[in-house]
């Protein structure tokens, strides 16, 4: 009974992926999972154009890449004092940070939109990236702090004895030793921003600035009736950067803190 339940759960995940791959190779694809009569790459050729794929993907990389870098940098700077200071205010502050992650982003988009209009950040890539980073920062701080707690303080004390400042200790000792933690925060932040539809849809107005997460929505309307094969091909291309990012840093994700014998002797 339990094995059958596991198979049912596995099928719920495998079947959509199977449809995605098979439909991308079938010019007559529908909603059913079926082998294509004649496998072809015509769907990929149809969507790989500057307006449909190249420009939106580049916009997504610039938007999410910049926002992710800002999130990771700010999370590291915020998590370091929270991890090392011994104060009664740390726990209430962390709980407040965690509470902010529960707030639905749709509840604050109306005042955010009004604020962006007043400060002239509406329809700007840097303004949208700034808000994406801000919305992802609370959970990134929480994650980063938990990973940072695993780095022995004795290593920082040794660095300070050699004359290193707090910032130098963070950059040269703490962050290199918590590589897996930084990798987790980076991947999680990038994935959450890459799939975010609502924020760029609200804050970016010019079609030439829209990322792929929004252009995949307009993909439905451009064809009247949905061409499922082309939609599947675009979805595979859209997922590629996230998969590549995970593959590139998978070794860091699988490793532990590179302490080795650093605390011996």
């Amino acid at each position: 009974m339990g094995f059958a339940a596991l198979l049912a759960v596995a099928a719920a995940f495998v079947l959509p992926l199977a449809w995605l791959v098979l439909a991308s190779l079938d010019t007559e694809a529908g909603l059913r999972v079926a082998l294509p009569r004649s496998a072809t790459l015509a769907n990929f050729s149809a969507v790989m154009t500057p307006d449909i794929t190249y420009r939106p993907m580049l916009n997504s990389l610039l938007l999410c890449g910049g926002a992710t870098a800002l999130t990771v940098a700010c999370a590291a700077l915020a998590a370091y004092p929270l991890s090392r200071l011994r104060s009664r205010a740390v726990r209430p502050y962390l709980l407040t940070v965690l509470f902010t992650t529960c707030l639905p982003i749709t509840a604050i988009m109306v005042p955010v939109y009004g604020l962006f209009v007043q400060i002239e950040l509406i329809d700007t890539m840097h303004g949208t990236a700034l808000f994406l980073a801000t919305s992802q920062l609370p959970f990134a701080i929480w994650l980063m702090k938990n990973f940072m707690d695993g780095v022995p303080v004795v290593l920082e004390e040794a660095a300070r004895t050699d004359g290193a400042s707090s910032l130098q200790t963070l950059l040269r000792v703490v962050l290199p030793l918590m590589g897996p933690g930084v990798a987790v925060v980076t991947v999680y932040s990038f994935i959450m921003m890459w799939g975010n539809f609502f924020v760029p849809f609200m804050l970016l107005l010019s079609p030439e600035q829209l990322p792929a997460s929004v252009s995949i929505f307009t993909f439905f309307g451009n064809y009247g009736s949905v061409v499922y094969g082309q939609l599947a091909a675009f979805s595979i291309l859209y997922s590629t950067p996230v998969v590549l990012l995970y593959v590139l840093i998978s070794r860091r994700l699988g490793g532990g803190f590179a302490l080795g014998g650093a605390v011996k002797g």
Side-chain angles (χ1 to χ4, degrees), residues 11-255:
F13 285 93
V14 171
L15 286 178
L17 295 177
W19 176 87
L20 192 67
V21 174
L22 295 175
S24 67
L25 301 175
D26 188 358
T27 55
E28 301 177 355
L31 290 176
R32 297 181 58 185
V33 179
L35 292 173
R37 295 180 181 178
S38 178
T40 177
L41 297 178
N43 291 324
F44 289 93
S45 300
V47 300
M48 292 180 69
T49 64
D51 291 336
I52 297 178
T53 299
Y54 296 145
R55 186 170 60 196
M57 290 285 283
L58 178 60
N59 291 338
S60 290
L61 290 173
L62 294 175
L63 187 65
C64 299
T68 299
L70 182 60
T71 299
V72 173
C74 293
L77 294 174
Y80 185 56
L82 292 174
S83 175
R84 294 303 184 247
L85 292 179
R86 295 295 177 261
S87 172
R88 294 181 179 179
V90 170
R91 181 174 176 79
Y93 183 80
L94 283 173
L95 292 177
T96 302
V97 169
L98 187 62
F99 171 75
T100 60
T101 65
C102 303
L103 295 175
I105 199 168
T106 53
I108 62 174
M109 280 309 299
V110 172
V112 167
Y113 183 88
L115 175 64
F116 271 48
V117 171
Q118 292 182 7
I119 61 178
E120 298 182 355
L121 283 179
I122 198 71
D123 198 26
T124 61
M125 292 286 285
H126 61 277
T128 306
L130 182 62
F131 181 73
L132 282 173
T134 303
S135 62
Q136 192 58 43
L137 188 58
F139 194 69
I141 293 175
W142 184 270
L143 277 180
M144 191 77 75
K145 188 264 180 187
N146 289 332
F147 282 110
M148 204 169 285
D149 289 343
V151 179
V153 181
V154 63
L155 299 177
E156 300 176 48
E157 294 174 346
R160 290 196 180 94
T161 301
D162 293 336
S165 63
S166 296
L167 182 59
Q168 290 174 328
T169 302
L170 173 64
L171 296 178
R172 299 180 182 180
V173 178
V174 178
L175 291 181
L177 292 177
M178 52 174 290
V182 176
V184 167
V185 175
T186 301
V187 171
Y188 180 82
S189 300
F190 186 83
I191 290 176
M192 295 301 292
M193 296 175 191
W194 187 262
N196 193 308
F197 162 80
F198 191 64
V199 171
F201 179 74
M202 290 291 294
L203 300 182
L204 292 175
L205 308 178
S206 303
E208 63 272 8
Q209 295 194 89
L210 294 179
S213 59
V214 179
S215 67
I216 197 173
F217 166 75
T218 60
F219 193 89
F220 289 85
N222 289 341
Y223 294 96
S225 60
V226 181
V227 182
Y228 291 105
Q230 295 182 14
L231 178 61
F234 181 84
S235 299
I236 290 177
L237 296 174
Y238 175 60
S239 305
T240 301
V242 174
V243 176
L244 290 178
L245 176 64
Y246 177 79
V247 170
L248 288 174
I249 65 176
S250 59
R251 291 181 300 175
R252 307 294 313 260
L253 286 172

